[in-house]
Amino acid sequence: MKKQLLNDVQKQAVEAVGNPVLIFAGAGSGKTRVLTHKIAYLIEHKLFKPEEILAVTFTNKAAEEMTKKVCELLKNKGTYLAVGTFHSICARLLRKEIHRLGFSQDFAIYDKQDQLVLIKLVMDNMNVARTFIDPKTVSNNISFYKNKLEDPSQASKGARTIVEKTIVDIYKNYQKELKKNNALDFDDLLLFPLVLFDKYPDVLKKYQEKWGYVLVDEFQDTNRPQFLFIHAIASEHRQITVVGDDDQSIYGWRGADIRNILDFEKSFPGCQVFRLEQNYRSTQQILDAANAVVKNNTERALKELKAMNGVGDKLGLLETNDEMEEADALISVLEKEIKIGKRTFSDFAVLYRTNAQSRALEDSLRRNGIPYKIIGGIRFYERKEVKDLLAYLHLIVNKKDTIALRRVINFPPRGIGLKTVDKCVKLAENENVELFDVLADPSKMDIRGKQANELKKFYDIVSKYQDLLDKLNAGELVRTLVDETGILKYYKKQDTQEDLERLNNINEILYSVDEFMARNPEALLTDFLEEVSLLTSIDRWNDQANRVTLMTVHSSKGLEFSIVFITGLEDGLFPLYLTLQDKKELEEERRLFYVGLTRAKKKVFMLYANNRRRAGSEQYYGMVSRFVREIPETHLEKIKFSSAMTRKVIGLSRGKTKTEVKRIVTVFDDFRVGDMVNHAIFGLGKIMALSGSGENQRVGVVFKDGLKKKLIVKFAKLKKIR
C-alpha cells in the first residue's frame, strides 16, 4: 500500500514522540490516517516493537480497519499489535488474570438481555415486585453506579428512598449471582482490571511494561473507568497519544465524560497539542453550517474546519405538515437526486433522533419500492434462535452459567417445565452444588418417567460436548451439536416462513463459526463467544449493499455518506424536550446535530413537520429546531414541496382544531400486462403482473437491469410509455 501524503500538522503529530500527545481531530480531518501512520512510524523507526503497542478504538469494525491499514503500511510487520475496543482489550486481560479475583478464565460475558434475566431472578428471590421497581430501571441504575466506580457498599451511602435502598440491595445480590455464574456484565469488563491493578501492583507493572506505547481513538467518548484504565497503563512511561473531537462527544447519557479530553493536559502535564482542521469529507457550506451551530456551546476547544472539497451546495430545508408528508418530501428529493445526480441508493442516509421516527419513513420507502436497511433494529446476535444456540455454547464452556442453562433446558421443547427447574434449583441450593450437576440424577428430586429421561439426556449431551471442547475444532463441535440436540430438525418441521428464517439464522451462525476459525485457526470456542458478545450493530453494517441506510444520529457516528437527510428537526424532538432546560444536556444535543451534519460529503437536506403524531394518537404541534435557526440563512436553501395530501377542518376537540387528512387521488392509467412504463428511480420496465384497478392497483414490473419490483400504482408514479 502506498502511504498517503500527510499534511504538515498530521506529519508533526505522527512524528511527535517522547511526550504525551493530544490531537484534536475535527470531523473528516483524517484522524484514522494519523493513527495508522503513527503506529507504522513507531515500528518502522524501531522506537517500539508491534507487541509493545496498545491501540484502543470504540468499535470492532474500526479496530479491524486500523489493523488492516497498519499491516498494509508495514507489509504485514504489524501482526502482533494489540488493537481492539476497551471491552475486548479488557476481556483479553481478564482471561489471563481474573483467577486472582475468584473467577475462572472461561467466564461468561452477559449482554443486556442476560443481565435483565438475572436481575429478574434476583428480584423474584428477594420478593421484589416488578410493579414496584422495573427491572430495566434496576439495570440502568447498576450501570450508573459502576460508571461512577461505586460498589454496593459505596452506593448504599447515597441511597435515601426505599426504592433507592432496594435497588442497592438488588445490586449487591446481583453481583453475588454473577460470581456464582462465573459471569461478568459489560461494565465489569472495564471495572475488574482496575480492581486487579489496585489489589495487585505486580499485575499493573506487568501491563505497563508490556504496553510501552498507548494510542486511543475517539477519546472524547471515554468514561471514568476507561480513562482510569488508560491512565494506569500510561501514567508512568507517559508514552501516549489520544485523538478525539470534543464537538463529537455525544455519549454523556451512558457515562462518557467530555472533561477527559478537555482536561487531558492536566492529567498528562507537558503534552503536545495538535489541531487537525483540514476536512477531507464535507463541503465548506456543510462545515460552516455545522460550526455556526456548535460554536454556541461553551464546553469546547476552539477549532475552525477548512474544506478540501470546495464550497458545495447550500443545505436544503423542507417544511412539511406532518410526518407522512415529511416522508413523502424525502422520497421526492431522493428521486430527483438519483435521476439528476446519477446516484445509487447507498449514497443516501436518513438520520433521526429517535427510533420511533423510522415507521413513517419505512412505510414511504416500502410503498415506493425503494430498498433500505435499518441500523439499530434487532441485532442478529440478539434474535431468539441465535441466543438459544449461543446459550448452549456458553453452557458447554462454563457449566456455572445458570442463565444459559435455564434458557436451553427446555429447548427444543422436551417437556421440562418451570416446576421441574424449581426442584433442581432447590436441590442445588440444599446440597451447595452447581445447578447443572444435579441434573445427573433426577431421582434425587423425585422426578420420574419422561421428565427424568429428558433431564438426564440433556445432562449427557452437554457433558459430552464439554469433554469434546479440547478435541474438536469449534466449527465441527457446533455443527454436531445443532444436529444432536435437534435444533435443525425442530425448525425444519415447523414449516412456516418465520421458522424458515430462524433456520437460516442458525445456518448463518454455523457459517460465522467457520469464518471465525478460518481467521483464527488456533482459536477456541471461548474466543468466538467473546467476539460475538462484543459485537455492535455498526460492526455488521455493510456499506457495499445498495440500499438507503436508516439510523439514529447516534448510530451514524464514524460513518459518512454522499447525501444525508436529517428528519424530525423540531424543538422537543431534536433537541429532545427533556434537554431544553439543562445546559449540559442541550450542549450534547447540539453536538449530536453537529455529528449528523458532518456525516455528509456532498449534500444535506433537513426536514421538519409542523404537526407530528406521537404516543399513539396524540398530535404534537412543532416549531422548527433551534439548531436550524442557528444556521445563517446564507447557508440554507428553502425547498418547496408539493404534497399529495389535502387537509380540511372537520371541527374542534378540547379547544384544538381537528383536521382530516386525505391523499389526493387523480386518474390512474389503466395498466395492462405487457405495458412499458417508466419509474423515476428504476427507469424503463415492463409490467408482468397486476391486480386490482384504479388507486388500489398493484403491478409487478421487471426493469431493464433485471430488477423485479411489486409496486402500488398510486404511490409509484409510473408513466406508461405509449
Side-chain angles (χ1 to χ4, degrees), residues 36-285:
T36 52
H37 277 72
K38 177 138 199 164
I39 294 170
Y41 180 85
L42 294 172
I43 295 169
E44 270 189 331
H45 288 74
K46 298 189 174 9
L47 299 170
F48 294 91
K49 296 174 183 174
E51 59 268 27
E52 294 173 334
I53 296 172
L54 171 65
V56 190
T57 68
F58 268 79
T59 67
N60 294 292
K61 186 181 176 75
E64 287 171 12
E65 287 175 357
M66 185 181 291
T67 304
K68 181 183 175 185
K69 286 177 182 175
V70 170
C71 286
E72 286 173 347
L73 285 170
L74 293 172
K75 297 178 181 174
N76 290 324
K77 291 177 188 171
T79 310
Y80 301 105
L81 280 170
V83 182
T85 65
F86 275 101
H87 288 92
S88 64
I89 293 291
C90 288
R92 249 177 272 169
L93 183 155
L94 290 172
R95 293 283 177 209
K96 293 184 174 132
E97 312 292 346
I98 202 168
H99 62 276
R100 299 169 187 258
L101 301 178
F103 291 76
S104 63
Q105 66 177 19
D106 55 4
F107 62 84
I109 300 172
Y110 281 3
D111 64 14
K112 280 288 181 187
Q113 282 187 34
D114 300 325
Q115 198 177 352
L116 269 178
V117 171
L118 187 57
I119 286 170
K120 288 172 185 175
L121 284 171
V122 169
M123 289 174 67
D124 290 345
N125 291 338
M126 293 173 62
N127 293 316
V128 177
R130 294 174 199 177
T131 51
F132 177 56
I133 305 175
D134 178 41
K136 284 187 179 178
T137 301
V138 176
S139 174
N140 291 336
N141 275 272
I142 289 174
S143 187
F144 175 75
Y145 287 134
K146 290 184 177 183
N147 272 295
K148 291 204 304 178
L149 305 175
E150 292 184 8
D151 61 25
S153 62
Q154 293 165 315
S156 66
K157 294 173 185 174
R160 298 285 179 266
T161 66
I162 294 175
V163 171
E164 289 172 349
K165 289 176 181 177
T166 305
I167 288 174
V168 171
D169 288 340
I170 296 169
Y171 177 20
K172 183 179 178 181
N173 290 323
Y174 166 76
Q175 288 303 117
K176 287 180 181 176
E177 288 299 316
L178 277 174
K179 190 159 189 178
K180 278 171 66 176
N181 285 315
N182 192 36
L184 277 63
D185 63 24
F186 269 33
D187 292 318
D188 288 335
L189 289 177
L190 302 178
L191 293 178
F192 278 36
L194 301 179
V195 175
L196 281 166
F197 292 165
D198 184 52
K199 286 188 174 181
Y200 303 97
D202 59 310
V203 174
L204 174 58
K205 192 168 188 298
K206 172 182 173 181
Y207 288 95
Q208 286 174 333
E209 291 174 354
K210 175 181 173 67
W211 292 318
Y213 203 97
V214 178
L215 302 100
V216 187
D217 192 11
E218 305 285 8
F219 193 68
Q220 78 281 349
D221 291 332
T222 51
N223 61 21
R224 187 70 181 154
Q226 289 163 338
F227 173 79
L228 290 175
F229 177 78
I230 289 301
H231 190 266
I233 299 294
S235 57
E236 286 294 315
H237 56 60
R238 288 166 47 83
Q239 299 299 304
I240 181 171
T241 292
V242 301
V243 183
D245 182 5
D246 50 301
D247 287 335
Q248 296 186 69
S249 179
I250 59 173
Y251 295 114
W253 50 276
R254 70 181 189 198
D257 188 351
I258 194 173
R259 299 310 314 176
N260 288 344
I261 189 167
L262 294 178
D263 293 342
F264 184 79
E265 293 175 77
K266 294 177 185 175
S267 304
F268 288 89
C271 79
Q272 293 178 263
V273 181
F274 299 92
R275 286 178 170 78
L276 306 184
E277 296 176 311
Q278 291 185 22
N279 177 285
Y280 297 92
R281 177 190 300 150
S282 307
T283 65
Q284 196 64 51
Q285 288 273 20

Side-chain angles (χ1 to χ4, degrees), residues 621 648-661:
Y621 299 93
K648 68 177 182 178
V649 176
I650 59 172
L652 293 172
S653 176
R654 296 179 185 176
K656 292 182 179 178
T657 303
K658 285 187 73 176
T659 58
E660 182 179 73
V661 181

